[in-house]
């Protein structure tokens, strides 16, 4: 059995891709022929950009999840209500059988 739970979904693959890109960008900045101060400023700017993008991404994901939950809640409620109605009909049918 193949055990690929880490990156089995497209979200996991995207996250792994972004993490690899960030590590690569960080290493490129560290090995670039610039002064230490300039390298730290670049890394700080990169971290700030990453923070902004992650906040935007988490906001979008949160909205999608909330929408999905609302949709599923309405489906489950409709199924529950239909089940209660069916149970009430069957209960009434057995409590008041038709005379033959």
């Amino acid at each position: 059995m193949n055990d690929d739970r880490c990156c089995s979904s497209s979200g996991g693959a995207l996250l792994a891709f972004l993490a690899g890109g960030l590590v690569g960008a960080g290493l490129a900045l560290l090995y670039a022929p610039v002064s230490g101060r300039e390298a730290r400023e670049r890394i700080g700017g990169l971290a700030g950009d990453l923070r902004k993008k992650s906040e935007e991404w988490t906001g979008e994901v949160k909205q999608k999840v909330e929408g999905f939950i609302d949709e599923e809640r309405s489906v489950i409620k409709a199924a529950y209500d239909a089940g209660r109605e069916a149970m009430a009909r069957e209960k009434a049918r057995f409590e008041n059988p038709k005379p033959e």
Side-chain angles (χ1 to χ4, degrees):
M1 180 166 75
N2 193 0
D3 193 12
D4 289 332
R5 284 181 260 166
C6 169
C7 301
S8 61
S9 69
S10 62
L14 178 65
L15 186 60
F17 177 76
L18 289 174
L22 289 173
V23 169
L27 288 173
L29 286 173
L30 290 175
Y31 285 103
V34 294
S35 69
R37 173 176 283 171
E38 188 176 344
R40 285 190 298 274
E41 289 174 358
R42 287 184 184 180
I43 291 172
L46 181 64
D49 291 343
L50 175 63
R51 186 178 319 123
K52 288 178 187 176
K53 288 181 183 181
S54 67
E55 288 172 356
E56 292 172 4
W57 185 72
T58 55
E60 292 172 5
V61 169
K62 183 179 177 183
Q63 289 175 346
K64 288 180 182 180
V65 167
E66 287 173 351
F68 176 76
I69 289 172
D70 289 342
E71 289 174 12
E72 292 303 312
R73 184 177 291 137
S74 65
V75 168
I76 291 171
K77 185 175 179 345
Y80 177 78
D81 291 342
R84 286 191 64 129
E85 290 173 10
M87 184 183 71
R89 282 193 307 268
E90 291 299 312
K91 184 178 177 183
R93 190 176 73 140
F94 282 109
E95 288 177 350
N96 302 318
K98 294 181 181 179
E100 292 186 32

